[in-house]
Amino acid sequence: MGMTKLKIGGAWSGLLEVELDEWTVPMLREEISKRSGCAGPHMINLICAGRVLKDGDGTEKLTQLGVKNNAKILATRVNPDHGKSLKEELLAEEERSSRLSRLKAAATSLAKRHADGSLPIEDFNLELENQSGEKVQLGSETDQQAIMMGLMLHANAKQLIRMQNYKDALEVLTMGEEAFSLCNPKVIEMIDNVPILQIDMVWCYFMLRDISWLSVAGLRLAKAREGIERAHGKESSRVRILQGGRHVELALHLRLELLEGVIAYHSGKLEKSREALTSAQAKYLQLQVSDEALSLLMGMGYKERDAKRALRMNNQDVQSAVDFLVEEKAKKALKREEDIRRQNEIMEQKRYGKTPLRKAVDLKRLNELVSIGFEKELAAEALRRNENDTQKALDDLTNPETNSSIQIDIESRKRKRLRQAADAAIEELISMGFPRATVVAAVRTFGTKEQALTHLLGQPNETDANSSVSIPNDIGTENLSAEDGIEGPSGSGALSSPEGGDGGPLSHGGAEERDAEMESELTGELQRGDAFSDYDIEVIKEGEAINEYLALLSTGENDEKVSSAQ
């Protein structure tokens, strides 16, 4: 068999004459690496008909690997990972996998705490919202937990994608997909997060240039398209109505079409590939922000990133972009207010303590009891003892005996709280250098740390510990030791901690170990995001990829014309 032409695209583009029966993959790699000016053959990856061409034992000829005359070969440069010894690599891999398992454990623990009504340890609460920023209940407690976990991991993976760490992002996306799969499919169909996660996974395959994922990538994109149509409506009709005619999802559709075009290209479906890429290119042009519009918005004081995003999502219309930015600012202010309100609620819940099953007191039920005339603290304790069962709490409140026992508990707890506050104040003032006896006397007399400090500062240093400062009895004189725990109430909830600490005397050590670093990484990303974060794509890399693949398609066309002319 004589010389054959191969069409090469990517790191080097052009026609290469080879003898398929003679040439091996290492020879082809060597030749392309020379022509592309690459640092060496090991820096070149070769892909043909959707398969990565492997060197094997170096003796297999191109014909044996199924490479035919006029075959198209994509040559991509490998990212160099210089100077890493094997030991370093193994250590890095170990650290990476330990980090990923910590991330999964933190997401599981956070989602469990925030979905099942437990008392939040943090001063925020993770809540599911729809695109309009309204709180939503999706399915059962298990569904809520699965969705929260999926969302946290997805947000974290997006951050990794922004940092171009596609390998780790892919691992985290796989965990996110697993979490979503634990949710009832009917509930999942209502949201577009899962289809977007599928697109993000294929984007990572593409950015890693890992074409070995070809068949699974095709299935993922088909699932994503179906899911997006279900959530957004045909031709995005539902989203368009929800978003007041805006094109917030345009960049997402561009990425989807680009990836569909790439898959079609590597599967040899060139017409389908051209169609998808041409459509993606039209969307890409639609998303290009003009300098005039950008400088107009920046002149109004908006940051470049926010202005670009607003223009992209509003079809480049300046007035609509301004309206969008104003709305977003108002939404953020509302969210801040809502967060403060929720923080105050959580502080209140912490004051009432945990139910026997370690849940928070349900504030909605508490307010219902208050609205029919019960004193708030009394009603909260009744709910706490009765695991938030309104009827049982009512029975306790209307029974004179249990009502009186609840009141006694509340009083004794108030005294204990005052004692604990007094002890803390005493220790703090002693640490400033005042004599213990003087400090104890001052705190007992004046009640608050501030007033006691004012009094102590006004005293001569040699204040007699037994001076005329009297000690009132109502605060209680004994010091609480750390081991005392918190008194369990005498009622039905004796095992739980009314203080919202680590549980009552019987539950020491029951508090779950938290991985605060991982948890803040997961929640920080979610708290920074908003309803449009999923659609906020810069599209620069997408634009380059569209051009690259359209060029590969046209190279193929020209070559066919040349060979048919001959």
Side-chain angles (χ1 to χ4, degrees):
M1 191 175 173
M3 295 300 263
T4 306
K5 289 195 175 90
L6 294 181
K7 296 163 187 164
I8 314 293
W12 176 79
S13 292
L15 284 176
L16 197 58
E17 289 203 342
V18 302
E19 285 186 53
L20 293 178
D21 289 340
E22 296 295 322
W23 281 51
T24 60
V25 175
M27 286 165 73
L28 182 60
R29 199 191 300 283
E30 175 82 40
E31 186 58 35
I32 293 173
S33 119
K34 263 194 239 152
R35 296 187 181 225
S36 66
C38 219
H42 61 288
M43 301 299 292
I44 290 280
N45 240 345
L46 301 178
I47 298 154
C48 179
R51 281 186 318 119
V52 177
L53 295 178
K54 295 270 178 17
D55 291 2
D57 59 9
T59 61
E60 274 186 303
K61 307 297 184 247
L62 294 178
T63 33
Q64 291 169 275
L65 295 169
V67 179
K68 298 186 173 67
N69 184 20
N70 269 332
K72 293 190 183 70
I73 290 180
L74 182 64
T76 60
R77 292 174 195 270
V78 178
N79 277 341
D81 241 355
H82 290 314
K84 270 196 177 176
S85 70
L86 188 62
K87 190 177 172 193
E88 272 179 330
E89 267 181 42
L90 285 171
L91 280 172
E93 191 53 42
E94 209 173 292
E95 193 179 305
R96 182 176 163 265
S97 71
S98 125
R99 197 185 142 69
L100 288 168
S101 52
R102 275 177 63 202
L103 194 70
K104 187 176 186 177
T108 311
S109 139
L110 265 169
K112 184 176 182 307
R113 281 208 306 272
H114 287 272
D116 72 356
S118 295
L119 188 69
I121 301 173
E122 307 81 3
D123 61 352
F124 63 84
N125 202 6
L126 295 175
E127 285 163 323
L128 299 173
E129 292 178 352
N130 62 15
Q131 280 206 334
S132 314
E134 296 150 352
K135 305 269 176 285
V136 285
Q137 277 294 120
L138 290 173
S140 67
E141 190 184 294
T142 318
D143 295 333
Q144 295 265 98
Q145 198 174 317
I147 291 174
M148 273 181 193
M149 194 171 160
L151 291 175
M152 277 188 278
L153 291 164
H154 193 181
N156 186 265
K158 280 185 172 303
Q159 174 66 1
L160 291 166
I161 290 173
R162 278 195 290 277
M163 291 154 64
Q164 298 184 34
N165 184 350
Y166 302 108
K167 191 180 171 195
D168 283 2
L170 207 41
E171 296 262 7
V172 179
L173 287 166
T174 307
M175 290 180 205
E177 185 179 40
E178 243 170 64
F180 281 129
S181 74
L182 302 174
C183 185
N184 174 347
K186 285 277 165 275
V187 173
I188 283 290
E189 282 177 9
M190 298 155 63
I191 56 178
D192 65 6
N193 303 81
V194 180
I196 293 172
L197 180 133
Q198 299 279 356
I199 294 170
D200 285 342
M201 285 182 104
V202 180
W203 180 247
C204 287
Y205 301 155
F206 176 65
M207 292 313 287
L208 290 164
R209 298 292 173 151
D210 193 343
I211 304 294
S212 58
W213 288 96
L214 201 63
S215 55
V216 66
L219 290 172
R220 286 193 188 286
L221 292 181
K223 252 170 54 185
R225 182 168 281 290
E226 193 187 311
I228 280 180
E229 282 195 357
R230 207 172 25 235
H232 290 184
K234 205 86 176 126
E235 305 283 308
S236 304
S237 51
R238 192 175 304 132
V239 145
R240 201 72 76 246
I241 292 163
L242 271 175
Q243 298 301 340
R246 294 191 170 119
H247 293 65
V248 295
E249 77 305 334
L250 200 61
L252 183 71
H253 283 269
L254 176 149
R255 185 177 275 184
L256 174 59
E257 284 179 348
L258 156 65
L259 293 169
E260 286 173 335
V262 169
I263 299 295
Y265 177 83
H266 289 295
S267 310
K269 297 172 185 163
L270 302 188
E271 203 36 60
K272 192 179 171 195
S273 173
R274 180 176 291 101
E275 209 175 290
L277 291 166
T278 310
S279 176
Q281 191 177 43
K283 289 182 173 63
Y284 174 73
L285 294 171
Q286 215 177 324
L287 286 164
Q288 294 316 297
V289 172
S290 79
D291 294 347
E292 291 82 0
L294 185 60
S295 63
L296 253 173
L297 287 182
M298 286 174 72
M300 293 178 196
Y302 293 110
K303 292 194 182 98
E304 181 180 359
R305 181 171 161 62
D306 296 341
K308 274 186 176 171
R309 173 187 176 173
L311 287 162
R312 280 202 306 266
M313 290 188 179
N314 289 278
N315 219 4
Q316 312 303 334
D317 181 86
V318 173
Q319 188 51 55
S320 305
V322 170
D323 296 344
F324 175 83
L325 285 160
V326 169
E327 272 171 45
E328 284 301 280
K329 192 177 177 187
K331 271 191 210 162
K332 275 191 183 127
L334 260 177
K335 189 177 181 323
R336 264 196 303 276
E337 277 172 34
E338 176 63 22
D339 287 347
I340 291 167
R341 187 189 63 75
R342 186 64 191 119
Q343 275 171 15
N344 293 335
E345 280 183 355
I346 289 168
M347 296 312 286
E348 185 184 346
Q349 283 177 307
K350 285 182 177 174
R351 222 171 46 243
Y352 303 137
K354 298 171 186 169
T355 71
L357 291 177
R358 304 181 68 78
K359 303 280 189 276
V361 168
D362 186 318
L363 293 183
K364 189 165 173 274
R365 293 173 184 215
L366 174 58
N367 291 330
E368 282 164 12
L369 288 174
V370 170
S371 71
I372 53 175
F374 291 104
E375 196 263 317
K376 199 166 196 178
E377 215 161 342
L378 205 61
E381 175 58 13
L383 280 170
R384 188 195 69 71
R385 290 171 167 217
N386 291 294
E387 209 56 65
N388 286 316
D389 183 320
T390 309
Q391 192 48 57
K392 286 184 182 165
L394 262 172
D395 294 346
D396 275 359
L397 290 164
T398 48
N399 174 334
E401 223 170 275
T402 48
N403 186 310
S404 139
S405 109
I406 291 174
Q407 295 206 41
I408 290 167
D409 278 343
I410 290 172
E411 279 313 306
S412 99
R413 211 157 61 238
K414 269 187 183 162
R415 279 200 300 278
K416 179 156 276 189
R417 262 208 301 269
L418 283 169
R419 276 205 306 277
Q420 284 176 322
D423 289 343
I426 287 168
E427 293 312 318
E428 202 172 324
L429 291 169
I430 289 170
S431 73
M432 292 179 189
F434 296 107
R436 177 176 287 273
T438 317
V439 168
V440 169
V443 170
R444 301 292 186 221
T445 307
F446 297 100
T448 72
K449 185 182 80 181
E450 287 71 20
Q451 286 173 314
L453 183 60
T454 308
H455 169 78
L456 291 165
L457 291 170
Q459 296 298 302
N461 272 353
E462 55 285 343
T463 305
D464 180 5
N466 305 313
S467 65
S468 57
V469 173
S470 61
I471 299 178
N473 292 322
D474 62 336
I475 295 183
T477 52
E478 78 273 37
N479 264 13
L480 260 188
S481 72
E483 282 75 48
D484 281 352
I486 291 158
E487 284 170 343
S490 52
S492 58
L495 296 186
S496 76
S497 146
E499 288 294 89
D502 284 343
L506 298 180
S507 67
H508 273 303
E512 183 191 345
E513 266 298 299
R514 285 181 61 208
D515 188 338
E517 182 200 342
M518 279 299 158
E519 285 186 6
S520 67
E521 190 173 309
L522 282 163
T523 51
E525 204 46 47
L526 270 190
Q527 287 179 304
R528 278 191 293 276
D530 59 29
F532 299 113
S533 299
D534 278 337
Y535 312 121
D536 186 15
I537 302 171
E538 283 278 351
V539 305
I540 296 165
K541 287 188 164 60
E542 284 79 353
E544 290 166 1
I546 291 168
N547 291 337
E548 179 188 341
Y549 274 84
L550 282 173
L552 285 171
L553 281 167
S554 66
T555 309
E557 258 183 14
N558 293 337
D559 295 342
E560 272 157 37
K561 282 178 194 163
V562 169
S563 59
S564 62
Q566 288 167 354

